[in-house]
Every structure is written in structure tokens, then in C-alpha cells.
Amino acid sequence: MKKTIRDVDVSGKRVLVRADFNVPLRDGEITDDARIRACLPTIEDLLQRGARVILCSHLGRPKGREQEELRLTPVARRLSELLARKVDFLEDCVGERVRQAVEGMGDGDVILLENTRFHPEEKQNDPAFAAKLAEPAELFVNDAFGTAHRAHASTEGVARHLPAVAGLLMEKELLRLSQVRDAAEPPFAAVMGGAKISDKIGVIGNLLDRLDLLLAGGGMANTLLRVGGVEIGRSLAEEDQLETAARIADRAGSRLVLPVDVVVAEDPRTGRGNRTVRVGNIPENSMILDVGPETLERFRKRLDGVRTVVWNGPLGAFEHPPFDRGTLAMAGILADLNAETIIGGGDTGAAVARAGVVDRVSHVSTGGGAFLSFIQGETLPGLAVLQDK
Ligand code: ADP
Ligand code: MG
């Protein structure tokens, strides 16, 4: 078990907290602040105990340079509202200006640093950059579970320069997810969707051996359908993943359940040509955008009686209704199960919230990739560097 903020004295200390404030934005506004709220218990606990809190995070993919639309300004504003106190926002995450601002802090003050990914050294996990990040602080707290599978300067490198412990969100994720990793009660099922097979099913490796059932939907099921010889028209597929897909299908055997009917259209935005067809009858000019009702019924039947289910990845292009039906229905199916139901991923979590069933599932993890890596027993670099109890 990892040390957490509860195990250390923080009073009067300068504490650098790596949060996951990678929130969805539209026109400069935060459309879902769940990730900010998830970090509040850690921040509030530190403040109550008289720490000086220096927050940092990445946001989006700025490719190592400053980008106006990926500044953390909206996060600073929202955070200040949620904490009901002033949050001092700095225009960089390292350097002289940061050092000065931190020097001027009093107990209970909060500073938010600018997007760590504005520096290319962040993703390179550059040791000199990590040292600069660490310099103004006396303690490092990692609360960014969703980024813990990446060895970046602000998640891994920085912890080599400071005493490093887990935040309360990180602790909660570890407690809930180690139970699935170490002691998932069988029958054990996984529901997988999302856009790409390469970031999903292709990486489930060890998990596959422990699964009794693998239900596949979303864009990534298209490549599996292709392996079975299905003509998928203009649907999203990854030709370079056909071999991986074939291997997985082979290993999974009868445990793998694929869509038998799908909702297709010419375009997800206009919804033109929207109809439900059997997988053998997909029109050449259309694309698969959701699973069909018969597939959902099949999924529901197969899940009946399972004791543990993990779900990552929407079953369709759920941000474009009506192609959200399969995904929302799956959220309902899991909510009705008498089983341990663990959901992970930013988009999947948002879908579960939209379906209104967050309270009826066992756990919604803030991690997508980190969640899949962790439950199959991989070592997460951002976690490995934290002190043990
Ligand atoms: P999470 O964030 O929960 O880990 P992903 O980011 O992997 O999930 O997948 C979500 C994306 O997958 C969404 O943008 C959704 O539109 C897309 N998607 C799901 N099914 C399809 C499909 N059939 N065609 C195209 N995109 C799809
Ligand atoms: Mg996503």
C-alpha cells in the first residue's frame, strides 16, 4: 500500500499536487467539471491542515508549445468557485516567476500552475525539467490517477526529487481497483467499446485470460467484424490492426460476443440515412454508429448472472444522439445487475452520468488507459515512484 497525505505532516509545507484537470472544453467553457471535483477532497484536506498548495496538471494535447485554447485559465476560475477561495493562476509551471510566487505564499494559500504540456520536456520526462518543477516544493502529492500510466515529468520524474505520496482520489481508485485486479468474483465480464482497437482491446493482454466473457461494441468492434469477413462500408476501422484483432478473437473464442445488428448512417452529424441493419447488410456508403437493439438484448442476456463487470468505451458515437442509445442502454443494463460494476474512462464516465445511474454502479474510475493497465496487473509509473507505507 502507498503512503497518502494522511501519513505525512503537511502543516506549513509547500506541497506540489499533480492533479488531473484534463477537462472537456467547448468554446473556452468547461463542459464537465467532474475531474476538478474529484480532486477537491485532497486539496481541502491539505488546506485544512495548513499546507501551501501548488497545483499542476496537463490539459489536452498542446504538442509541447503554448496554445491559447489549452490554458488552464477556465480551470483556475472553476476551482476558485468550488473551493470558495482565491486561486492564484501563474502563466508557467516552472521558472523564476513561480519561485517568487511560492515564496510569497502563506499557509492555506492555493496556486495553480499553467499546463505542464506547454513544455516538450514534460512528455519526454526530462530530468532537468522535473527538477525545476520540484524545486519550489517540499512534498509531492500525486492525485492524477488518470495519467499515472504515463511516465511524464509531472507524474514520475518529479517524484525522484521530493518525498512523494498519493492523494485521496488516487487512494480511492487504488482501493476500488485492486479489488478487481486481485479478487474479481467470477463470472467476470468485460464490455469494451470506444473508437480504436489499438488503444483498447489490443492492450487487454493479461485480462483476457481471466475473463469469462468479452462483449465488444463501438468503433473497435468494427475491426473484429472485419476479421470475421463482414463488409462494414465506410465505418471506422484500423486495417493495420487486423492481425491483432484476429489474434484476440482467436484467444477469446466463444467468450467474445460481437454485434449482430447495428445502427448505420452516412454521417454522425446529419444522421442522414439512419437505420438499423443486420451486420451482413451494411450499405456500402454508410458507417456503423451504434449497436442495434438485438445486440443489446444479446448483451443483456449474456451478462445475466455475472458477478463482476468492467466497462470501458462507449458502444457508439454517443456524443451525436440518437447514436447514444446503445451506450445509455448499456449503462442501464449494468445498473440493473446484481454484480460488482466498475466503469472507467472519461467518455464512458460521462455517458454513465448522462444515463443518470452513477449511484447504481459500484465505481466510476477517472482513468481510461490507466484503469485498463491497472486492473490487468501492470505497474503504473506514476504510482511506482510513490513511497510505500
Ligand atoms: P473513454 O474516454 O471512455 O476511454 P474512448 O475515448 O476510448 O472512451 O472512446 C470514445 C469515443 O469513441 C467517442 O468519441 C465515440 O464517438 C467513439 N466511438 C464509439 N463508437 C464509435 C463508432 N461506431 N464509430 C466512430 N466512433 C465511435
Ligand atoms: Mg476518451
Side-chain angles (χ1 to χ4, degrees):
M1 200 51 218
K2 292 295 178 183
K3 268 195 195 169
T4 76
I5 53 172
R6 282 189 242 274
D7 301 310
V8 288
D9 175 27
V10 299
S11 172
K13 289 218 172 116
R14 301 182 302 274
V15 182
L16 178 67
V17 179
R18 175 50 157 104
D20 181 359
F21 292 151
N22 184 29
V23 290
L25 294 168
R26 193 180 299 144
D27 305 323
E29 296 291 328
I30 296 168
T31 54
D32 180 10
D33 65 0
R35 282 186 165 159
I36 304 179
R37 282 185 285 107
C39 189
L40 290 178
T42 296
I43 303 172
E44 278 168 346
D45 179 79
L46 290 170
L47 292 175
Q48 256 163 29
R49 292 156 62 202
R52 304 166 182 207
V53 177
I54 309 156
L55 295 158
C56 70
S57 175
H58 79 282
L59 174 61
R61 296 179 176 172
K63 307 258 157 65
R65 55 194 159 76
E66 282 192 21
Q67 280 190 37
E68 278 315 308
E69 63 282 6
L70 293 177
R71 292 199 178 283
L72 282 166
T73 327
V75 172
R77 215 178 299 129
R78 187 78 192 103
L79 192 59
S80 174
E81 283 166 19
L82 290 167
L83 289 170
R85 71 167 79 205
K86 187 167 154 272
V87 173
D88 194 8
F89 178 55
L90 303 187
E91 276 160 23
D92 202 350
C93 61
V94 290
E96 185 52 26
R97 174 76 187 85
V98 175
R99 206 186 53 76
Q100 277 174 13
V102 172
E103 223 159 66
M105 286 178 97
D107 297 354
D109 281 353
V110 186
I111 278 181
L112 174 65
L113 305 177
E114 183 55 286
N115 197 338
T116 50
R117 287 194 191 167
F118 281 179
H119 295 266
E121 298 93 330
E122 158 75 333
K123 289 181 89 171
Q124 294 156 359
N125 197 7
D126 179 82
F129 178 73
K132 275 198 255 175
L133 259 179
E135 200 222 26
E138 297 163 276
L139 174 71
F140 175 66
V141 173
N142 192 351
D143 213 22
F145 176 75
T147 329
H149 61 314
R150 307 276 181 226
H152 293 167
S154 70
T155 60
E156 202 267 357
V158 67
R160 300 181 179 275
H161 300 276
L162 291 169
V165 301
L168 300 179
L169 171 62
M170 181 71 91
E171 179 188 36
K172 182 170 132 193
E173 293 274 17
L174 298 182
L175 286 174
R176 291 316 306 261
L177 300 181
S178 24
Q179 197 266 330
V180 183
R181 182 192 59 188
D182 305 332
E185 189 187 337
F188 182 13
V191 180
M192 310 259 324
K196 291 188 175 172
I197 204 159
S198 49
D199 23 88
K200 299 285 173 184
I201 210 168
V203 299
I204 66 167
N206 301 331
L207 192 61
L208 194 51
D209 295 332
R210 295 167 50 211
L211 290 176
D212 298 295
L213 189 61
L214 174 58
L215 310 180
M220 60 137 243
N222 300 346
T223 310
L224 288 162
L225 287 168
R226 284 276 293 114
V227 167
V230 172
E231 295 295 337
I232 60 171
R234 289 171 41 243
S235 305
L236 180 79
E238 292 169 280
E239 290 298 322
D240 60 339
Q241 294 290 318
L242 282 174
E243 244 171 74
T244 311
R247 209 167 44 237
I248 288 155
D250 194 45
R251 266 178 74 197
S254 62
R255 296 174 296 161
L256 175 64
V257 186
L258 289 174
V260 289
D261 62 340
V262 288
V263 182
V264 300
E266 285 163 34
D267 183 289
R269 284 161 211 283
T270 62
R272 237 184 80 149
N274 177 347
R275 59 190 146 135
T276 303
V277 295
R278 315 267 326 154
V279 292
N281 294 327
I282 296 166
E284 235 173 80
N285 65 342
S286 56
M287 47 177 106
I288 302 172
L289 292 168
D290 200 3
V291 293
E294 203 181 313
T295 301
L296 283 166
E297 188 50 26
R298 208 173 260 232
F299 283 1
R300 197 184 58 74
K301 283 210 184 103
R302 294 294 295 262
L303 285 170
D304 189 34
V306 303
R307 296 294 299 155
T308 308
V309 191
V310 294
W311 177 24
N312 173 242
L315 298 188
F318 84 108
E319 53 275 80
H320 304 288
F323 308 110
D324 56 352
R325 281 194 197 137
T327 303
L328 297 179
M330 179 51 73
I333 290 171
L334 294 199
D336 287 342
L337 281 181
N338 176 22
E340 182 78 1
T341 46
I342 315 280
I343 288 122
D347 290 304
T348 317
V352 169
R354 188 129 69 77
V357 298
V358 173
D359 296 337
R360 294 171 55 213
V361 297
S362 309
H363 180 61
V364 180
S365 171
T366 49
F371 161 77
L372 289 178
S373 297
F374 186 84
I375 59 174
Q376 63 175 309
E378 283 171 14
T379 307
L380 309 188
L383 193 59
V385 285
L386 305 182
Q387 293 180 349
D388 291 310
K389 271 205 200 206

